[in-house]
Amino acid sequence: MTKEEILQRTKAFLLDLDGTVSLEGVPLPGVTATLSRLRSAGKRLVFLTNNSSKTRKRYEAELARTGLFETGDLVYTSGNAAAEYLNAHFRGKRVYLSATEEVKREFEAAGVNVVEECPDVCVLAYDKELTFEKIKKLDGFLRQGVYFLATHPDDVCPAKGGSMPDVGSFLALFQRSSRRAPDVIVGKPYPYMADSVAGRLGLKKEELCMVGDRAYTDIRFARNNGLKSILVLSGETTRDMLSSIEDAPDLVLDTICELL
Ligand SMILES: [Mg+2]
């Protein structure tokens, strides 16, 4: 697909953060101006992240400070998706949540009944405050057969000088200790966030275009869910890797700035 066709058919761009619009919180060169031009062209912008260690409010504040976020844009994390999923499928049920304190408060504010004992559902978010006590507790609930939701499957999260363990790595731990895999994962590349964003914006999924730097999450998410996709080479994927990619995007660009 040409960029002209993508621009013509897309009403909202779903933007990955790290490696796509920013690196370690710093906007990539020219991206702020590109996003402004997309808004001027009438496009909605959604910052879509699997990182469930921070709240939407914190992301909005951080992105606004660097000039990436403007009123009218949307931030949507896999944590937000998990809270919505719980409200849709387990409304009022008792939820044990392994998450940072700020994300716990965000779930509570969304109406989730967060408890420490006797849960009906267990949720594993990107808990950067994880302790052995929390691991032991969650493992115990999983052994009892409590329904298990994980926010996202990423093994690692990009970090200064390399990467750090992410939820997928913790899922491997629980797979070994309790012989349980999640009953559902709501983050990319699974369907929940695509349906939810489309519903929230009142758009069809084919009117959405995912822009990201990881083929096996961002582009797979788009392909699995009927969204258009742009793979940018400003992050994890290099030009050398393109020939071996299974999840082919509609368009490859060096950076998102090439779109306009
Ligand atoms: Mg990325």
Side-chain angles (χ1 to χ4, degrees):
M1 212 176 272
T2 65
K3 54 186 173 185
E4 288 74 19
E5 284 169 331
I6 286 186
L7 278 168
Q8 196 193 349
R9 296 181 198 172
T10 299
K11 293 189 175 165
F13 285 93
L14 315 187
L15 307 168
D16 170 59
L17 293 179
D18 250 317
T20 301
V21 299
S22 59
L23 270 181
E24 294 178 4
V26 180
L28 293 172
V31 170
T32 308
T34 299
L35 298 190
S36 297
R37 291 171 66 192
L38 285 171
R39 287 185 200 100
S40 304
K43 310 301 180 188
R44 293 291 305 272
L45 302 182
V46 181
F47 297 93
L48 195 76
T49 179
N50 266 0
N51 190 329
S52 55
S53 69
K54 299 187 215 175
T55 62
R56 168 184 283 143
K57 267 204 177 116
R58 183 179 295 273
Y59 271 118
E60 281 181 2
E62 287 179 1
L63 290 165
R65 203 179 314 128
T66 57
L68 289 169
F69 180 89
E70 296 264 337
T71 307
D73 297 347
L74 205 64
V75 169
Y76 192 50
T77 74
S78 67
N80 302 147
E84 276 180 20
Y85 188 92
L86 292 169
N87 284 331
H89 298 277
F90 296 94
R91 182 169 280 281
K93 295 287 186 190
R94 298 171 62 84
V95 176
Y96 176 74
L97 174 61
S98 183
T100 57
E101 277 306 311
E102 68 171 55
V103 166
K104 238 182 210 181
R105 287 195 294 276
E106 188 181 43
F107 272 69
E108 285 170 341
V112 175
N113 180 17
V114 178
V115 300
E116 286 299 315
E117 301 299 338
C118 304
D120 301 304
V121 183
C122 286
V123 175
L124 179 63
Y126 193 10
D127 188 357
K128 290 187 176 174
E129 296 157 12
L130 193 62
T131 60
F132 186 74
E133 277 311 305
K134 286 184 176 181
I135 292 174
K136 205 170 100 183
K137 204 166 193 177
L138 179 53
D139 175 68
F141 294 143
L142 295 180
R143 285 159 177 279
Q144 292 164 23
V146 175
Y147 189 91
F148 184 23
L149 182 155
T151 55
H152 61 292
D154 306 41
D155 289 336
V156 295
C157 177
K160 276 196 181 81
S163 65
M164 47 193 180
D166 203 334
V167 165
S169 299
F170 296 114
L171 291 177
L173 184 157
F174 291 110
Q175 176 75 56
R176 293 291 288 269
S177 68
S178 62
R179 306 283 170 203
R180 289 283 306 279
D183 295 298
V184 67
I185 301 178
V186 293
K188 296 178 278 187
Y190 297 98
Y192 188 79
M193 288 174 95
D195 292 327
S196 175
V197 168
R200 188 176 288 222
L201 297 177
L203 296 175
K204 299 191 194 95
K205 282 190 273 188
E206 56 265 33
E207 295 172 317
L208 310 178
C209 178
M210 178 75 213
V211 188
D213 68 311
R214 264 186 181 175
Y216 56 93
T217 53
D218 299 320
I219 306 307
R220 187 169 300 168
F221 171 71
R223 290 183 49 127
N224 283 352
N225 295 292
L227 320 180
K228 285 185 279 305
S229 60
I230 299 174
L231 179 65
V232 289
L233 304 179
S234 49
E236 193 173 289
T237 308
T238 60
R239 200 161 279 283
D240 294 344
M241 290 158 70
L242 287 179
S243 55
S244 56
I245 280 176
E246 290 171 27
D247 305 279
D250 291 311
L251 184 66
V252 178
L253 299 174
D254 283 326
T255 79
I256 190 176
C257 302
E258 277 183 7
L259 186 55
L260 295 167

